[in-house]
Amino acid sequence: MATADNTEPEKLNHNHPLFLNSNDNSGVILISLQLRGPKNYSVWSLAKRIVILGRNKLSFIDDTCKRENYSTNLVDLWERYNAIVLSWLMNCVSPELLSEMVYSSNASAVLDDLKEYFDKAQSQLLMMVSVPSVNKVYSMLMERESQKTMKNAYANLNAGEMAALLTNRIGNQQKPKKNYNVYCDYCKLKGLTRDTCYKLVGYPNDHKFKKKYNSQGTTKLVTQQPTPTTFTSTPTAPTFTP
């Protein structure tokens, strides 16, 4: 059994875990990060540990500085520092967690309880993640196979076929809506400007007026073609001289 530390309180040096520093009090907020739940517990625990280590009080939360390690003349000092470290932990948690921590009498036990609690909460969250149904899995597989098929089909197209496919896709895209706040002073129509006026820049090939014009022009050319002359051979009666 280890011998209890019976050093006189006034003889403790600054490296002793029970050395009372003037800056160590229960009102100190060591970190601005507040523990709210499982999502930020890991970051909060690490940040808290680093700061407490810098104050030479890490032994109070890793359970190496125990009450039974000290003789009667140091027990009161241990109780005081345990309460200070416990208050440092309570100063950086949400009100919901604080209501559970106030009943604890040991700083190291508080951290152990928090770790156990959040480990269980994390496990429950993982179990709550729903497993996809058979129909969902089948749908995902079919979509993946469809993407593979399309990829292979595109890979087998030559340059001309690919250009035609892209042209067709672009042509089928929805045309941009007109801005009826603009006005063309040439054709006197809203939604156009001189830069987009068909009467100035020309009609596109797929425009209805262009198609109508081409259709009429073709019909006119066909109508104006000369009608071929048909020669008929009519037998002539022979003429006899009397």
Side-chain angles (χ1 to χ4, degrees):
M1 182 176 180
T3 304
D5 188 349
N6 58 0
T7 307
E8 295 296 327
E10 61 273 8
K11 293 183 180 180
L12 297 176
N13 60 46
H14 64 280
N15 291 321
H16 197 283
L18 298 183
F19 178 78
L20 187 60
N21 192 301
S22 59
N23 295 327
D24 295 336
N25 59 78
S26 59
V28 174
I29 299 178
L30 298 183
I31 59 175
S32 59
L33 178 64
Q34 189 179 64
L35 176 62
R36 296 187 176 276
K39 290 186 177 180
N40 72 334
Y41 171 74
S42 297
V43 176
W44 177 89
S45 179
L46 180 59
K48 178 70 70 176
R49 184 180 182 87
I50 293 173
V51 176
I52 293 179
L53 175 61
R55 289 181 174 263
N56 195 32
K57 298 298 178 285
L58 186 62
S59 55
F60 279 89
I61 63 174
D62 64 8
D63 204 26
T64 58
C65 183
K66 300 180 180 181
R67 187 178 187 277
E68 57 267 24
N69 294 346
Y70 302 99
S71 58
T72 307
N73 61 327
L74 293 177
V75 169
D76 290 342
L77 192 57
W78 182 92
E79 292 283 1
R80 180 177 181 181
Y81 250 121
N82 178 71
I84 291 175
V85 175
L86 185 57
S87 68
W88 291 346
L89 299 177
M90 292 189 297
N91 290 341
C92 299
V93 300
S94 63
E96 294 79 10
L97 296 174
L98 180 61
S99 61
E100 300 293 334
M101 294 173 61
V102 294
Y103 297 104
S104 180
S105 59
N106 189 289
S108 63
V110 167
L111 289 183
D112 290 341
D113 292 342
L114 287 174
K115 185 178 185 304
E116 182 180 359
Y117 173 77
F118 289 128
D119 285 345
K120 290 181 179 179
Q122 188 69 24
S123 299
Q124 291 176 356
L125 288 175
L126 293 176
M127 293 176 63
M128 289 175 61
V129 177
S130 58
V131 179
S133 63
V134 176
N135 292 336
K136 180 65 175 179
V137 174
Y138 178 77
S139 176
M140 294 168 62
L141 291 175
M142 291 299 296
E143 182 178 358
R144 185 176 180 181
E145 289 300 321
S146 177
Q147 293 176 353
K148 287 183 178 181
T149 302
M150 292 181 64
K151 183 178 180 181
N152 294 334
Y154 289 156
N156 295 328
L157 294 177
N158 57 37
E161 292 171 335
M162 181 63 73
L165 179 61
L166 292 176
T167 302
N168 185 42
R169 282 181 173 270
I170 294 174
N172 292 333
Q173 291 179 354
Q174 185 178 4
K175 296 182 179 180
K177 296 182 178 179
K178 291 185 178 181
N179 181 9
Y180 289 97
N181 293 325
V182 298
Y183 175 78
C184 177
D185 58 359
Y186 181 80
C187 66
K188 311 301 181 183
L189 293 177
K190 291 184 178 181
L192 298 175
T193 63
R194 279 183 169 266
D195 294 333
T196 58
C197 180
Y198 294 153
K199 291 185 177 181
L200 293 176
V201 301
Y203 289 92
N205 292 330
D206 59 345
H207 194 276
K208 59 182 180 180
F209 293 114
K210 186 68 172 290
K211 292 180 179 180
K212 181 178 180 181
Y213 173 79
N214 291 337
S215 176
Q216 291 176 348
T218 305
T219 304
K220 186 176 181 180
L221 288 176
V222 172
T223 304
Q224 291 178 351
Q225 288 181 355
T227 303
T229 303
T230 303
F231 297 93
T232 58
S233 178
T234 304
T236 304
T239 303
F240 297 95
T241 304

